[in-house]
């Protein structure tokens, strides 16, 4: 078996949608991490366990953060990703606009950087030139 698939969840802890998503992830054997705003400056690779180092090296984030729901997936095979999205559709869970798969290039980013990139992408998709 390959590396453990992990999902980083942002602003999903207390929502009905978040609880449904967690249920699906647990059924699929995906490790779940709820990311708190104070962790937003830690690189995604470290938050997800893709890279090993101590979290203490990073500053605590004290800014406003963001309220939108965001999901970062690490180590999802294509089959797992398809199954996850299919189960979300079947359960009629509203789409999470901001979602990403961890890649070698974005795992160095912190949560705020990823959030800003995903927001830009979402905007450019909703406002085609």
């Amino acid at each position: 078996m390959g590396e453990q698939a992990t999902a980083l969840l942002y602003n999903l802890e207390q929502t009905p949608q978040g609880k449904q998503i967690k249920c699906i992830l647990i059924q699929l054997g995906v490790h779940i991490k709820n990311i708190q705003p104070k962790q937003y400056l830690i690189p995604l690779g470290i938050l997800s366990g893709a890279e090993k180092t101590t979290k203490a090296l990073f500053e605590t984030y004290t800014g406003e953060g963001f309220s939108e729901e965001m999901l970062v997936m690490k180590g999802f095979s294509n089959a797992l990703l398809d199954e996850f999205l299919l189960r979300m559709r079947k359960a009629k869970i509203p789409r999470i606009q901001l979602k990403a798969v961890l890649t070698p290039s974005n795992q160095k980013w912190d949560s705020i950087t990823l959030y800003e990139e995903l927001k830009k992408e979402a905007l450019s998709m909703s406002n085609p030139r």
Side-chain angles (χ1 to χ4, degrees):
M1 185 168 147
E3 64 175 329
Q4 162 93 45
T6 301
L8 305 181
L9 305 183
Y10 295 80
N11 301 317
L12 282 160
E13 232 170 333
Q14 302 306 327
T15 67
Q17 176 182 351
K19 288 185 176 72
Q20 289 178 288
I21 290 170
K22 274 190 199 164
C23 280
I24 293 172
L25 290 168
I26 289 165
Q27 289 164 3
L28 294 172
V30 174
H31 183 67
I32 298 167
K33 287 190 176 172
N34 290 301
I35 306 303
Q36 305 306 324
K38 65 178 194 271
Q39 299 173 292
Y40 286 0
L41 295 178
I42 300 170
L44 297 167
I46 292 166
L47 285 175
S48 68
E51 294 177 39
K52 299 284 178 251
T53 186
T54 87
K55 291 184 178 80
L57 297 174
F58 298 95
E59 285 173 51
T60 299
Y61 178 74
T62 55
E64 283 295 299
F66 51 89
S67 58
E68 289 100 323
E69 298 168 334
M70 187 165 83
L71 169 67
V72 180
M73 297 164 279
K74 176 194 81 115
F76 277 55
S77 64
N78 288 342
L80 179 60
L81 186 59
D82 290 346
E83 182 63 23
F84 173 59
L85 296 173
L86 176 71
R87 288 186 188 197
M88 279 186 59
R89 270 197 306 275
K90 277 188 182 160
K92 300 196 175 14
I93 298 170
R95 235 181 90 214
I96 294 179
Q97 296 299 324
L98 305 177
K99 55 181 179 294
V101 172
L102 195 70
T103 64
S105 56
N106 71 16
Q107 73 177 17
K108 302 272 184 247
W109 297 357
D110 61 32
S111 301
I112 298 293
T113 305
L114 178 67
Y115 168 77
E116 287 167 355
E117 285 299 313
L118 290 175
K119 284 295 283 186
K120 269 189 250 169
E121 251 173 58
L123 279 174
S124 68
M125 283 181 186
S126 63
N127 304 324
R129 292 201 168 85

